[in-house]
Amino acid sequence: MDFVDLVRARYSLRQYSDFPVADEVVNKCLDAARLAPSACNSQPWSFIAARTPEKVESLAKAAFSGLYSMNAFAAKAPVLIAVVTERSGYAALLGGMFRGVKYSLIDIGIACEHLALQAAELGLGACMLGWLNERAVKRELGLPRSARIDLMISLGYPLKEGFVPPKKRRSLEEIRKLI
């Protein structure tokens, strides 16, 4: 698949088949994330993948209950990934302080999109979820209070195979300014 076709095929999947995702496939997606560029090569990420129905259910319940229930659909995904935002390297932290930018958040966004694009190439779908109960997720995973979970990713095969919803995007003319 050529890159633009891959980008067109990738969308935020919210309806999953119950077909299991093989560990080899999960690892291929995580490896794509690992290869992503980051500020000063900090690689400020780690990933915790829940792969059994019991683990996905308990993690989804922690993350997406109550106020966060708009993302409860993620409990139906065969894989649910917690993205742990690690500390950036010294140079990226210093540069970020001067610029007022959290480069680690940009970095995990890039890594997670690499994961999602790899998933799309393999026929899976993913949805990045930032609206979650971080405290409950850390408790469920046994992580320290100092840990940061800024994103979670639901991953699985689409319920409707081959379906790609139309993209509603602004036109190139609306977003581009060539000088």
Side-chain angles (χ1 to χ4, degrees):
M1 183 180 313
D2 117 325
F3 184 73
V4 173
D5 290 337
L6 180 60
V7 170
R8 286 190 176 113
R10 188 265 187 265
Y11 66 98
S12 294
L13 181 65
R14 291 179 173 85
Q15 293 183 317
Y16 295 93
S17 154
D18 56 3
F19 190 77
V21 179
D23 286 350
E24 173 186 310
V25 173
V26 174
N27 286 332
K28 198 167 189 176
C29 292
L30 291 171
D31 197 42
R34 178 187 68 84
L35 295 170
S38 60
C40 303
N41 199 28
S42 290
Q43 304 172 54
W45 52 64
S46 61
F47 303 89
I48 302 171
R51 302 167 351 273
T52 66
E54 300 79 27
K55 291 287 186 188
V56 169
E57 182 181 348
S58 64
L59 187 55
K61 185 177 178 186
F64 308 121
S65 294
L67 183 61
Y68 306 96
S69 63
M70 71 177 279
N71 287 327
F73 68 87
K76 303 266 190 220
V79 179
L80 190 56
I81 301 168
V83 182
V84 182
T85 307
E86 311 265 337
R87 249 179 102 92
S88 290
Y90 180 72
L93 276 174
L94 192 58
M97 283 188 346
F98 282 113
R99 295 264 346 267
V101 175
K102 285 193 137 202
Y103 288 115
S104 59
L105 294 178
I106 296 168
D107 294 340
I108 66 165
I110 295 167
C112 291
E113 185 60 10
H114 273 52
L115 186 156
L117 287 168
Q118 179 64 74
E121 184 188 49
L122 296 170
L124 287 85
C127 189
M128 292 185 219
L129 306 156
W131 184 245
L132 57 104
N133 185 337
E134 181 185 17
R135 182 177 291 166
V137 170
K138 289 190 288 192
R139 194 172 28 247
E140 179 68 25
L141 295 173
L143 296 174
R145 287 178 53 188
S146 60
R148 291 288 314 176
I149 307 288
D150 290 302
L151 277 178
M152 292 182 72
I153 302 172
S154 55
L155 180 70
Y157 293 97
L159 185 61
K160 299 176 188 174
E161 190 176 335
F163 172 75
V164 177
K167 292 192 184 274
K168 298 173 187 165
R169 301 293 188 265
R170 297 184 324 187
S171 71
L172 182 59
E173 289 72 27
E174 290 177 275
I175 66 155
R176 172 190 65 200
K177 183 175 185 177
L178 301 173
I179 58 172

